[in-house]
Amino acid sequence: MGQGHWKKIWVGSAGNLVEWFDWFVYAGFATYFAGAFFPEGNDTAKLMNTAGIFAVGFFMRPVGGWLLGRVADRRGRKTALTLTVTLMSASAVLIAVAPTYAVAGYGGAAVLLVARLLQGLSVGGEYAASATYLTEASAPGRRGLASSFQYVSMTAGQILGLGILLTLQSTMSDDALHSWGWRIPFVIGALGAAVVFYLRREMLETEVYEQLDGPDGPQAAAAENGTIRALLAHKREAFLVVALTMGGTVAYYTYTTYLTKYLSNSAGLPKQTATLVSFCALIVFACLQPLAGALSDRIGRRPLLITFALGSTFLTVPIMTLLKQAGSFWPAFGLSLLALVVITGYTSINACVKAELFPTGVRALGVALPYAVANALFGGTAEYVALWFKRSGAESGYYWYVAGCAAVSLVVYLTMRETRDIDLATVGKGHTAAPAPEPAKAPAPGPAS
């Protein structure tokens, strides 16, 4: 890819990194601030309260997906991406200054809830605008590679959050972390969002969007761009996004945001060891994304998706069972990495697969709303469901739940069409794939001798 393509990918990914740093910091530091906003009681109950607020953020994602997806299709990808990072910055500031239960009773939890609602709005639009931008900004035939940087940046945000957590755990006392140290990463997130806001103001719009409907540009179809009516013309594709997201999002949040808590609360590992396991496994995971994305550009998207679904369906129960028995760093790291390698078949390409299903005028909304619905139903509730099974004394039931979601997605992957060769400029207009090169003609036979 040329320098211009890489510049667009870098700016889009940098903002995505900050967005997901703030999103994951909430989950990563929940064990430290859970007691700050709720009265004394059972530790699992306090974690369930904070997990419930975490899930509320997911239920705002369909609203954010609709609102900011509409903005991205009507006003451009750049405008939507700038707005998402502004909302995320505001939410980080609110969490950083939220009063504790001792100071304001449940008022602090209310501030936390508002912040999570803003985060949900922001991330609901960020995913789709970012997925659309990275897919459209890439060179032809390299969309899998380019869009894989969405999960590179998402994972980098989580790695940064975990790195800060490890640093604070080693430099601050446990009491200080529970008292005020957990606020530090939210301050960092707010500052980072301010930097990305400046970067995104200078970013370039994608050529695919600028060329929408020919020389008249996107405004020629402004009345229909980004509308529910336009999306309803692609109901099958919207349903497909929900179904193919179901297994991937449950597995992803299980082995990322919930993993540290699982290793600490269920496997009995020290918090610092559990955090280090996640940190190291995620570094390898991030490095795998471009490799898998580039592979999909050569062999197609479906083989990777099917491999993920088969692995998650049949390996989730044994991996989670063995993780619970892992008594030290290396066994936990090996099993966590195995799970993340399996998930790479989904994470590395899911952004471009969804973007390749829709025409330009409804692409951002088409990705945003169905994906946000799937995340609200399955991703946002994953941690809460896992804790509910644990509290009910049937923790292994959650393993089967994750495997079952993957099995549903497997059926979808087996029946969906391949999207690798779709032409983004003509999809939905009767031409779904770039024309294949004509075969070379055989030379005409010469005169008989």
Side-chain angles (χ1 to χ4, degrees), residues 277 281 319 323 326 328-341:
V277 168
I319 287 176
L323 270 175
S328 60
F329 171 84
W330 286 110
F333 171 73
L335 290 165
S336 301
L337 185 57
L338 173 60
L340 290 173
V341 168

Side-chain angles (χ1 to χ4, degrees), residues 91-176:
S91 68
V93 170
L94 282 176
I95 297 177
V97 301
T100 64
Y101 181 83
V103 173
Y106 284 107
V111 173
L112 191 65
L113 178 61
V114 170
R116 286 296 297 173
L117 293 176
L118 289 178
Q119 281 190 338
L121 282 173
S122 175
V123 177
E126 170 67 23
Y127 174 87
S130 177
T132 301
Y133 186 86
L134 290 173
T135 302
E136 291 180 348
S138 62
R142 306 297 294 276
R143 294 197 299 254
L145 172 61
S147 66
S148 71
F149 281 89
Q150 182 175 47
Y151 269 81
V152 171
S153 58
M154 285 172 61
T155 307
Q158 187 173 5
I159 290 171
L160 180 59
L162 287 170
I164 291 173
L165 178 55
L166 285 170
T167 301
L168 294 179
Q169 286 175 334
S170 62
T171 58
M172 298 180 66
S173 67
D174 195 61
D175 288 342

Side-chain angles (χ1 to χ4, degrees), residues 377-427:
L377 294 176
F378 304 105
T381 58
E383 184 176 329
Y384 193 87
V385 171
L387 290 170
W388 180 85
F389 273 109
K390 176 178 174 59
R391 195 179 190 184
S392 301
E395 190 166 29
S396 61
Y398 179 70
Y399 315 160
W400 291 99
Y401 168 75
V402 177
C405 290
V408 173
S409 288
L410 174 60
V411 175
V412 177
Y413 302 152
L414 289 170
T415 56
M416 68 181 287
R417 74 178 189 270
E418 179 58 62
T419 63
R420 178 188 59 178
D421 297 322
I422 282 177
D423 185 346
L424 294 179
T426 60
V427 62

